[in-house]
Structures are given as structure tokens and as C-alpha cells.
Amino acid sequence: MIIVVKNNCEKNQFDNLVDWIKEIGLDVHISRGAHSTVLGLVGSTEKVDIDLISSLDIVEQVQRVQEPYKNANRKFHPEDTIVRVGDIEFGGDSFQLIAGPCSVESESQIIEVAKAVKASGAKILRGGAFKPRTSPYAFQGLKGTGIELLLKAKEETGLPVVTELISLSYLDMFDKVDVIQIGARNMQNFELLKEVGKTRKPILLKRGLANTLQELLMSAEYIMSEGNDQVILCERGIRTFETMTRNTLDLSAVPVLREKTHLPIIIDPSHATGVARLVEPMSLAAVGAGADGLIIEVHNDPKHALCDGAQSITPEQFDVLAGKVNRMLPIVGRKQF
Ligand code: PEP
Ligand code: MN
């Protein structure tokens, strides 16, 4: 971190600032210029309150030169982290498809979809049991029964399952769930992040509707700081002024995050676009951008889906999409599934 101090400041104000920084446990390198003096802070600067220092009369500018996340930072962990779900790997040269309905609706629905997506190459089954809906009157999910049905589908097909945790009070029900999803609306639910950080399960962390990539990385940091480094990041579209799609898919998140972090990055083209016919083109674009996988909503009867029918593709459409993705993978240096 660098602090630029005005040269016209009183000596005692300057000394007080330097003493204060040293008291926090940091070293200070001082370089005096013609118009200002630059303090270089060396050590763990995460705890320094930038706003507080900026507010001092004698301070012209404060700048972080080191990112505030350490565990998620590629600088401290240059090689890709491989997140393992059984023998399924996220990261490196693998590419994984996660697919299934927005929400678990019935035993026949989830099992039929699970069998179909598995046959097309999906390695993990998705399905919401607890649904964070905008309206309190909309279908809220089958809750505990939804998890039981997901586990039944897992038993039938052998596919591991991912489902969303929306409250700490439900964590006990997630014992047999393979991957815990933290949804966009809970990306900054820091208590939830800390608790899933204490588990040793892989966490699928979705980017918030209006969150920066740095905030996404800080949320990953919350999980990792509790000892769980099995975090998969997911870009699922952000809120912009555009209204023709549900959200705007920020595909540049993939190469940007790739530079900043060693964690795997997947794309959710379903929530990003909100439109079934846009799911395939954006999936292929995600492969091109270097994503480590896709999470896609697939429903056997989208017209009658209890949630997100408009963006759900059919098993047949998913099969075509998976075939195209698989053919693209060698071009981008990845193993086919
Ligand atoms: C979901 O995956 O069903 C979901 C609700 O996603 P998001 O949190 O990205 O909106
Ligand atoms: Mn959904």
C-alpha cells in the first residue's frame, strides 16, 4: 500500500502518521519528492482502513498495490487449483457440464432429467430444493423433500449433486449433498460463507447481481480463510441497463479472473440470459473464453416448469449443445468429456 503525503504538512503530523502505521505492525519506507512524500507500507495491509487514512488532512492519496485477498490470489498460488467432486475435476485442462432443472419438482421429473443429461455428458446434477425467489408467493422449492429426491436421482444415476444453501439453519440437511451452491443473492452473506468455509465440501460460489469481480474474490476469500479451498467461481450475469436479456453475461470475467485467481471458473448461461435459445450460443462463447465448465438449466417440460421455464432447455437441446461443446474443447486445449 502506498500513501502520498502532502509536503506542506507539519512534521509532528507526519511523525504521528508514521508511528501509527508502525503500531499496526507494518514497516514504512519513506521517499521524499519535490511536491509530496510517498510512504510505502510493507507487511499485512489487509487490516488497514484506507478510508480512515484517506480522510487525514495531510494525505493526498492512498493506493493498494496488493490485492486484499491472499488465499484466492494467484500471486501466492501460481498453479491452478483443481476442485474435486469425487473423481470429477474442475480446473486444469478438464471441462465439466453441470445440468438439471432450476428446481426439483417431483421424483419423476428429477430422475428423468438426471438420466437424460448424464447420457449427454453432464457429470453433476443440479436442482434447487430451497429457492430464493423475488416474490414470497412464488414456488419456494420442495425444501427437505427436494434434497431427498435429488439424492434419489443420485442413487439412480450415480451423478453427484449440487444444490443451493440459502440459510445456515438448513446446513444439517446438506450432509449427503456433494457440492453446496451459494447463490447470487447470498454472495455477500458473510456468515453463510464462513460456515460453508468450515465444511470440507466443494462450494459453488455465484457472482452477485451487482457485485464486482473483486467482491466475488473477497467472498471466495471468506470461505477459504476458514480452511476450505475447494471453491468454484461462477459468473451468472450481472444487472445492467439492458432489458432484452435477464442479465448481462460478463464473459470477460473468465480471462480476468483467470489472471487474478487460481480457482476454477464456470459460466451459467441460463440465468445470465434468461432465454432458452440464447443458452447454446453463450455456452459456446464460454468455452471460447476459457471457462472450466458450464451450469445449465434443463427441464423435461419447460412450459410447465415451476421456476425459470423460459430459460430452461430441453434434454434434446442439451444433447445438441453438449455435442458442440465437446467438439470445441480440443481447439481450446481441453480434454473432451
Ligand atoms: C439457481 O442456480 O437456481 C439460482 C437461483 O441462481 P442465481 O443465484 O445465480 O440466481
Ligand atoms: Mn433458476
Side-chain angles (χ1 to χ4, degrees):
M1 183 179 291
I2 284 169
I3 303 175
V4 182
V5 181
K6 296 170 191 163
N7 264 1
N8 60 358
C9 78
E10 306 273 334
K11 184 178 179 312
N12 74 315
Q13 286 180 300
F14 183 84
D15 292 344
N16 283 346
L17 175 60
V18 172
D19 289 346
W20 179 42
I21 293 163
K22 286 183 177 164
E23 273 167 31
I24 310 174
L26 300 169
D27 278 337
V28 187
H29 288 254
I30 303 172
S31 34
R32 295 188 189 275
H35 305 290
S36 55
T37 297
V38 175
L39 305 183
L41 275 52
V42 186
S44 298
T45 55
E46 296 88 3
K47 290 191 180 132
V48 178
D49 185 341
I50 288 198
D51 296 332
L52 189 57
I53 295 180
S54 306
S55 71
L56 300 176
D57 291 344
I58 63 166
V59 170
E60 202 163 271
Q61 206 191 338
V62 185
Q63 234 174 22
R64 267 192 200 284
V65 285
Q66 191 78 276
E67 295 89 350
Y69 47 93
K70 278 226 158 66
N71 289 292
N73 200 325
R74 195 181 272 284
K75 276 189 199 139
F76 303 108
H77 189 296
E79 63 287 353
D80 287 349
T81 281
I82 308 292
V83 174
R84 291 191 168 80
V85 184
D87 57 1
I88 300 149
E89 294 185 347
F90 286 84
D93 60 0
S94 312
F95 188 93
Q96 304 299 351
L97 290 179
I98 303 174
C102 178
S103 44
V104 181
E105 297 171 7
S106 68
E107 182 171 337
S108 59
Q109 173 237 24
I110 193 69
I111 290 178
E112 190 181 322
V113 174
K115 284 181 177 164
V117 297
K118 182 183 178 182
S120 302
K123 293 294 191 307
I124 297 185
L125 175 66
R126 65 148 289 148
F130 296 91
K131 296 305 303 177
R133 305 300 299 277
T134 303
S135 165
Y137 310 115
F139 176 59
Q140 303 284 308
L142 295 182
K143 307 189 170 86
T145 308
I147 294 194
E148 279 166 28
L149 296 179
L150 260 184
L151 295 174
K152 230 176 208 171
K154 173 181 173 177
E155 218 174 272
E156 284 269 330
T157 58
L159 286 180
V161 295
V162 56
T163 193
E164 181 172 351
L165 176 67
I166 58 173
S167 162
L168 272 183
S169 54
Y170 303 133
L171 188 55
D172 288 349
M173 296 186 202
F174 281 62
D175 250 13
K176 293 188 181 135
V177 166
D178 300 277
V179 180
I180 300 177
Q181 177 172 323
I182 299 295
R185 288 153 194 83
N186 273 310
M187 190 204 88
Q188 287 192 316
N189 183 336
F190 301 120
E191 289 307 307
L192 198 56
L193 298 176
K194 282 192 266 185
E195 286 307 314
V196 297
K198 288 178 190 151
T199 72
R200 289 299 167 262
K201 285 186 190 290
I203 309 298
L204 174 56
L205 176 64
K206 299 186 99 179
R207 181 181 183 182
L209 279 71
N211 285 111
T212 63
L213 294 176
Q214 170 133 327
E215 286 165 343
L216 173 63
L217 290 167
M218 290 307 290
S219 293
E221 191 73 16
Y222 257 96
I223 299 169
M224 298 174 88
S225 67
E226 296 292 340
N228 187 354
D229 67 347
Q230 295 289 286
V231 181
I232 303 166
L233 302 174
C234 178
E235 158 62 33
R236 45 77 73 206
I238 50 174
R239 264 272 156 100
T240 68
F241 48 80
E242 184 51 67
T243 55
M244 289 196 190
T245 47
R246 183 176 179 184
N247 292 289
T248 296
L249 178 56
D250 177 11
L251 264 188
S252 60
V254 179
V256 172
L257 287 171
R258 183 76 66 217
E259 283 176 13
K260 300 285 178 197
T261 183
H262 48 88
L263 298 172
I265 306 142
I266 68 169
I267 292 290
D268 174 347
S270 309
H271 292 89
T273 61
V275 181
R277 67 177 181 282
L278 302 182
V279 169
E280 183 188 293
M282 297 325 289
S283 296
L284 301 181
V287 177
D292 296 300
L294 291 162
I295 178 164
I296 296 178
E297 287 189 343
V298 179
H299 198 287
N300 51 350
D301 184 9
K303 273 209 273 305
H304 295 104
L306 296 181
C307 184
D308 287 349
Q311 67 195 33
S312 299
I313 59 173
T314 62
E316 295 73 28
Q317 290 167 326
F318 179 72
D319 192 60
V320 173
L321 180 158
K324 290 185 185 177
V325 165
N326 217 12
R327 284 198 292 285
M328 264 185 87
L329 291 177
I331 302 169
V332 291
R334 288 182 187 263
K335 288 186 293 201
Q336 288 182 308
F337 46 81

